[in-house]
Amino acid sequence: MRNHSAPALSTAKAADEAQPNLQQATIYRILLAVSFVHLFNDSIQAVIPAIFPILKNNMLLSFAQVGWIAFALNVTSSLIQPVIGYAADRHPRPILLPLGMGSTLLGVLLLAYAHNYVLVLLSVVLIGFGSAAFHPEGMRVAHMAAGLKKGLSQSIFQVGGNAGQSLGPLLTKWIFIPFGQIGALGFTAIAAAGVAVQVYVARWYREMLNAGYTFRKKAASRAIDPARSKSIFRATVILVLLVFVRSWYGQAIGSYYTFYLMDKYGLALNSAQNYIFMYLAAGAVGTLFGGPLADRFGRRNLILLSMVGTVPFALALPFVSQFWAGVLLLIGGFILLSSFSVTVIYAQMLYPGNIGTVSGLVTGLAFGLGGIGSLLIGHMIDEIGITRVFIACGFLPLLGLLALLLPGDSQLEEWAEA
C-alpha cells in the first residue's frame, strides 16, 4: 500500500507546488506555435472564398449556390464548435488538436479533385469540422500558455487567424488563377505541417494537465445572484449579436466584393484580389492594436467604436472611385476588426474559466452564423443586383449601437472577480 500511495501523494504535492508557476509563466513558444496553426487553419479556410470565382466559372454556379458553399463551411463550424468547447471545459481533449487538422487535410485534398457541386460541399464540411475542433482547444492552449498575460496571448492567437484569412485573396491571385481548382492540392502541405505542430502542442498540453494545471474560477458552482445571472445572459446575447453582424459584413466583403469590383470598375480577378487582401490585412493589424486600445479606452467603448466607426466608410464604399475604394477598405477593415480579440476577452470575463465555451459562442457560433448572412447576400444579389446589396450592407454596422446596452468595464471586472 505504501509503495503505491507514496508516489500518488508525491505527484499531488508536486502538482500543488507547480500550480502557481504553471498559472503565471508565459510560454511564448507554445503561444507562437498555436498562433501559427491558427494561421494555417484560417488560411486554409480562406481558400474557400478565394476559390469562389473559379468554382463559379467552372461549375456555372449562381450567386445563391456560392452562398450555400459559404453557409456549409460556416454553419458546420458554428454548430459543432460550441458543443466541442463546452465538452472541452469539462474534459480536455488534447488529441482534438491534431485530429482537427487531419480533417482539414482531408477536406483540402477532396476540394482539389471535387468535380461536382456535392463534393465541393462535402469538402468544405470537412474543413469546417477541422476548424470547429481546433478553435476551442486552441484558445484553451493560448490561455494556458499566457500565464498572467491573457490579453497579449489573445492578441497573438487571434492575429494568427486574421492574418491567415487575409491571405485568401493572394491565394486566388497566385494559385487559383494560374492553376485552377487543383491548386488547392498545395494546401495539403500546409495542413500536414499543421498536424505536426499540433502533435507537439498537444503533447505539451497533456503534460500541463498531468502536472495539475486547472483553469481559474472553473469551480463556479456557488450560487449566483439571479439578477446578475440575468444581466450576464443579456450581455451574452448582445455580444453574440454584435459578432454576428460584424461577421455578416465581413462575409459580404470577403465573399462578394471581388465580384463587385469586377462589375463596377472592370477589374481583372487578380487585381480585384488586391483590394480584399488590403481589407483583411488591415483587419489583422486592427486586431493586434485592439487590445492596447481597449486598455486605454475601455472594452465596451472599443466594441462600440469599432462597429459604429465603420459606418461612414461602409456607406461611402459603393459610391467612390476605385482609388478611394482601396482607402476606405483599409480604414474600415482596421476599425471593424480592432474589436475582434476584445470581444473574446469580454466574453471570457463574463464566463471566467469557461474558455472553450466562450470560444464556441464568440469565435464559433456567432462568427460562423455569418454564413447565414453570406447565403442571404448571395440570394439578394441574384434578385436585386450586387450594387444595391452593397449599399444595403453599408447599414449593417449601425447595429453596433447595441453595444451601449453592454455592461461597462467596471461592472464586468466586478463580475469576473466575484
Side-chain angles (χ1 to χ4, degrees), residues 6-275:
L9 291 172
S10 177
T11 301
K13 181 179 179 181
D16 290 340
E17 293 176 350
Q19 186 66 19
N21 292 329
L22 293 173
Q23 296 276 2
Q24 295 177 15
T26 302
I27 315 298
Y28 286 101
R29 59 185 172 84
I30 297 298
L31 276 177
L32 291 175
V34 77
S35 180
F36 271 113
V37 175
H38 201 181
L39 186 150
F40 295 160
N41 179 86
D42 284 26
S43 65
I44 291 173
Q45 275 195 276
V47 167
I48 308 305
I51 206 173
F52 280 169
I54 306 300
L55 294 174
K56 188 175 187 299
N57 289 334
N58 289 352
M59 299 184 180
L60 303 177
L61 304 179
S62 67
F63 281 107
Q65 287 176 305
V66 170
W68 276 109
I69 297 173
F71 178 81
L73 174 67
N74 287 287
V75 171
T76 300
S77 175
S78 70
L79 290 179
I80 298 174
Q81 193 173 147
V83 177
I84 293 176
Y86 181 82
D89 283 332
R90 283 142 187 82
H91 303 287
R93 292 288 184 268
I95 191 64
L96 283 177
L97 293 171
L99 284 181
M101 285 303 296
S103 176
T104 298
L105 174 59
L106 290 176
V108 173
L109 184 62
L110 179 60
L111 179 63
Y113 293 104
H115 60 273
N116 61 52
Y117 186 61
V118 173
L119 288 178
V120 170
L121 290 174
L122 178 59
S123 69
V124 300
V125 166
L126 288 170
I127 293 171
F129 177 81
S131 179
F134 164 71
H135 279 96
E137 289 290 17
M139 188 176 289
R140 284 167 60 84
V141 167
H143 189 277
M144 181 182 283
L148 298 178
K149 300 179 180 179
K150 305 301 183 187
L152 174 64
S153 76
Q154 197 56 234
S155 292
I156 292 174
F157 179 70
Q158 298 296 350
V159 163
N162 285 354
Q165 292 173 18
S166 72
L167 295 177
L170 299 183
L171 303 180
T172 302
K173 182 176 181 179
W174 294 338
I175 296 177
F176 295 119
I177 292 177
F179 301 105
Q181 187 177 338
I182 195 66
L185 191 62
F187 292 92
T188 57
I190 296 177
V195 171
V197 176
Q198 290 291 59
V199 169
Y200 168 74
V201 172
R203 185 179 296 117
W204 176 85
Y205 186 6
R206 174 56 62 191
E207 289 173 355
M208 289 287 285
L209 292 174
N210 291 341
Y213 183 95
T214 56
F215 289 90
R216 291 183 178 184
K217 301 197 176 184
K218 186 176 181 180
S221 57
R222 59 184 184 275
I224 299 178
D225 178 62
R228 177 187 297 179
S229 180
K230 184 178 180 179
S231 297
I232 290 174
F233 177 77
R234 183 170 58 248
T236 303
V237 172
I238 293 170
L239 196 65
V240 168
L241 284 173
L242 290 172
V243 177
F244 169 68
V245 170
R246 187 181 64 198
S247 175
W248 191 340
Y249 184 75
Q251 286 283 338
I253 299 295
S255 297
Y256 299 105
Y257 196 66
T258 295
F259 299 107
Y260 180 81
L261 289 166
M262 295 167 66
D263 180 68
K264 180 171 182 178
Y265 304 114
L267 294 181
L269 178 57
N270 61 343
S271 298
Q273 294 305 306
N274 293 332
Y275 287 78

